[in-house]
Amino acid sequence: MRGIANKFRRKLGPGSLRSHLVLLVVVAFMPLLAFAVLMVVLSARNERAVFERGATERTRALVTAVDAELKRSISTLEALATSRELDRGDLRAFYEEAARVLKSQPGWLTVIVSLPSGQSILNLLRALGAQLGSVVEQRSFKQVLKTQKPAVSDVLFGPLTQEYDFIIRVPVMRDAKIKYVLSPVISLRSIDA
């Protein structure tokens, strides 16, 4: 029996038995290694899908919050646009009315009233009668004049508020013409909350 084993060893050559055992072990572990790699790839895909699903849900929640804030603010502005003080041109009385409305709107920083020419005539951050310049953000202002419908500005750094905010603009219609444009400046922080 030893003779057969020795013949077999000689036929394989020196160290061949060890090489064959190593090869056998490597071949035996290949399916395990392939399974481990497959599980890592599947796990990474699953984590990416979970992350993407979470990001999509957060984005939808943010869009819903922004949409709700815009609708609420536009409704409030449209109600304020019906003020009789604006019909009479009584800016002092309207200033007080707008200041009361401003207190009820936590995200609003100020309310601005502008003429269709672009000249601002009232800003709650300034004293009544103070000299005001023309409208800072023109794109949404021009859009309101063109469409006679509410418009929203891009995000901008407000020169008076000293923070990033945006503006909603609502036309004040009288006799089928725009008499004024109401514009509250809204803090971005109000949407993050």
Side-chain angles (χ1 to χ4, degrees):
M1 184 97 71
R2 277 189 190 170
I4 295 176
N6 285 336
K7 273 186 184 180
F8 185 68
R9 277 190 202 138
R10 273 186 255 144
K11 197 174 195 180
L12 289 177
S16 290
L17 183 56
R18 184 175 297 142
S19 300
H20 282 58
L21 287 176
V22 169
L23 182 63
L24 179 64
V25 169
V26 167
V27 169
F29 280 112
M30 288 302 272
L32 183 60
L33 181 62
F35 179 74
V37 168
L38 178 66
M39 294 315 313
V40 167
V41 169
L42 290 177
S43 177
R45 284 184 184 169
N46 186 42
E47 285 182 31
R48 183 182 310 131
V50 168
F51 175 79
E52 287 173 356
R53 215 173 11 257
T56 301
E57 289 170 10
R58 286 189 297 278
T59 302
R60 280 190 190 128
L62 182 59
V63 167
T64 300
V66 169
D67 192 45
E69 176 66 26
L70 292 176
K71 285 179 182 177
R72 187 178 59 75
S73 292
I74 288 171
S75 293
T76 301
L77 279 170
E78 289 175 335
L80 188 59
T82 65
S83 173
R84 289 185 182 167
E85 283 76 12
L86 290 176
D87 290 340
R88 294 189 295 253
D90 187 351
L91 291 180
R92 181 171 304 285
F94 184 77
Y95 188 95
E96 293 170 8
E97 184 178 354
R100 282 193 302 276
V101 170
L102 180 67
K103 289 178 185 175
S104 72
Q105 302 299 313
W108 291 14
L109 302 171
T110 188
V111 175
I112 301 167
V113 178
S114 304
L115 297 171
S117 65
Q119 177 63 43
S120 295
I121 58 172
L122 184 145
N123 185 331
L124 294 181
L125 289 178
R126 298 288 176 100
L128 186 63
Q131 284 287 16
L132 303 173
S134 50
V135 172
V136 174
E137 191 275 332
Q138 291 286 319
R139 185 197 55 81
S140 62
F141 188 80
K142 288 177 182 176
Q143 184 178 351
V144 168
L145 295 178
K146 181 180 177 183
T147 65
Q148 297 184 348
K149 293 184 178 178
V152 180
S153 75
D154 296 325
V155 173
L156 54 110
F157 189 78
L160 289 177
T161 62
Q162 292 297 298
E163 64 178 86
Y164 287 97
D165 43 46
F166 65 97
I167 302 167
I168 298 176
R169 300 197 190 274
V170 170
V172 177
M173 303 297 293
R174 299 295 187 268
D175 300 322
K177 294 180 187 168
I178 296 177
K179 185 172 183 179
Y180 302 109
V181 176
L182 289 181
S183 306
V185 177
I186 302 173
S187 171
L188 281 182
R189 288 180 283 135
S190 67
I191 294 186
D192 284 343

